[in-house]
Amino acid sequence: SPNVSYSFQIAEQQNPSAAATIENWAVTGSTPAQWDATSGGVFGTQLSQIADQQVVMTLGANPLLDAFLDIKVAGYPASSGACSATGEYFKVWGGWYANDPATVVECGQQQWVSDEQTEHLTNIYNTLLDNGNDVLVMGYYANCPWSFTNWQPEGNVVEGPSSGNSCDSQSEVDANGNTVTQTQQAWAVGNALNSYIAAAVASVQQSNPNGANLQFALPDQAQWQQHQGWDSDPWIFPNDTWIHPNKEGHGQLAQTVI
């Protein structure tokens, strides 16, 4: 969307008389495996065509997000990932309890390894560097989809299926008596995700002769935590699953890139 996406917001800031061409190659919902030419990824051919450019990319969250999604429609599962039951659990003699964030992160880490995410990302980074590109890998901003694990799989039944209750409002105690919220779990998984991506970047920086041309940038997590989808001034579309940035959010991502 030309007036929302951060790539277009950066393009709009250029001096028209001395502007660089900006192309957006992003494919919404795509995964590292799909961009990895060494494993036959469907977008691998496109990746190999990018040469001698300045590349900005975010990649790696979709398979992990899919693992944690729990969405039902009229009581029937529409999406139920491998980690979707890690949010809270029920004990017959005690009621509902929350898992501590470390337990939720552990399930995500297992999925990351199972999907060979690090291998796919390092292959992608190496391909881009070997083609003469300068690459900026951007980490992910703090967010909590209402559909994260099994806290509220049907969202807000009053406001409609695209709207949930705030993640902050979903809380239970864990086995140790500590109060845990849906927000805390989601942000813990997001922090772990960024650490996996940063580690993949660091390994290629050290192993590739052109490693100095690969860098990692992280959006200001503390700022993003104050502008969630349920807040009064969100940087994330409120009538969604609270994953996608709105125009203000993309403006913040543009500043991170700049």
Side-chain angles (χ1 to χ4, degrees):
S1 183
N3 67 342
V4 175
S5 175
Y6 73 80
S7 59
F8 288 105
Q9 290 197 40
I10 292 173
E12 190 178 35
Q13 296 181 42
Q14 296 189 99
N15 181 346
S17 65
T21 299
I22 293 182
E23 297 180 350
N24 191 335
W25 290 61
V27 179
T28 301
S30 62
T31 68
Q34 292 174 325
W35 286 94
D36 184 1
T38 62
S39 63
V42 65
F43 303 125
T45 302
Q46 285 181 265
L47 185 77
S48 64
Q49 297 177 36
I50 304 174
D52 303 317
Q53 304 294 319
Q54 293 182 332
V55 178
V56 179
M57 58 181 293
T58 54
L59 188 64
N62 284 320
L64 205 60
L65 174 65
D66 186 61
F68 283 100
L69 286 185
D70 189 15
I71 300 175
K72 292 182 174 64
V73 178
Y76 293 94
S79 178
S80 183
C83 298
S84 61
T86 59
E88 56 177 355
Y89 59 95
F90 186 80
K91 285 186 175 182
V92 175
W93 301 111
W96 285 96
Y97 289 84
N99 277 308
D100 64 274
T103 299
V104 184
V105 168
E106 181 180 5
C107 185
Q109 183 180 34
Q110 292 171 353
Q111 290 301 304
W112 181 274
V113 173
S114 176
D115 291 336
E116 300 180 335
Q117 293 271 88
T118 297
E119 291 82 355
H120 291 309
L121 287 177
T122 54
N123 288 340
I124 291 166
Y125 302 155
N126 280 317
T127 297
L128 289 170
L129 291 177
D130 293 344
N131 286 346
N133 297 292
D134 292 327
V135 183
L136 177 65
V137 174
M138 189 157 63
Y140 289 89
Y141 47 86
N143 69 91
C144 177
W146 63 258
S147 53
F148 179 84
T149 71
N150 57 347
W151 288 93
Q152 44 178 334
E154 295 209 44
N156 189 316
V157 295
V158 175
E159 297 181 13
S162 66
S163 177
N165 302 301
S166 73
C167 291
D168 285 348
S169 71
Q170 308 300 304
S171 66
E172 298 288 354
V173 297
D174 63 14
N176 296 317
N178 300 312
T179 299
V180 177
T181 66
Q182 185 182 26
T183 307
Q184 290 173 311
Q185 293 179 345
W187 287 354
V189 171
N191 290 336
L193 166 65
N194 284 324
S195 71
Y196 305 152
I197 295 171
V201 168
S203 69
V204 175
Q205 286 174 329
Q206 296 173 10
S207 62
N208 191 296
N210 300 315
N213 297 330
L214 173 67
Q215 298 296 325
F216 177 77
L218 185 65
D220 189 321
Q221 302 293 71
Q223 286 192 22
W224 277 90
Q225 289 173 1
Q226 304 303 314
H227 298 274
Q228 296 293 292
W230 59 85
D231 289 324
S232 59
D233 54 345
W235 290 350
I236 296 171
F237 283 115
N239 295 322
D240 195 348
T241 54
W242 301 340
I243 298 172
H244 305 107
N246 59 17
K247 185 173 182 178
E248 291 75 16
H250 272 284
Q252 294 298 318
L253 297 179
Q255 290 306 310
T256 299
V257 173
I258 292 169

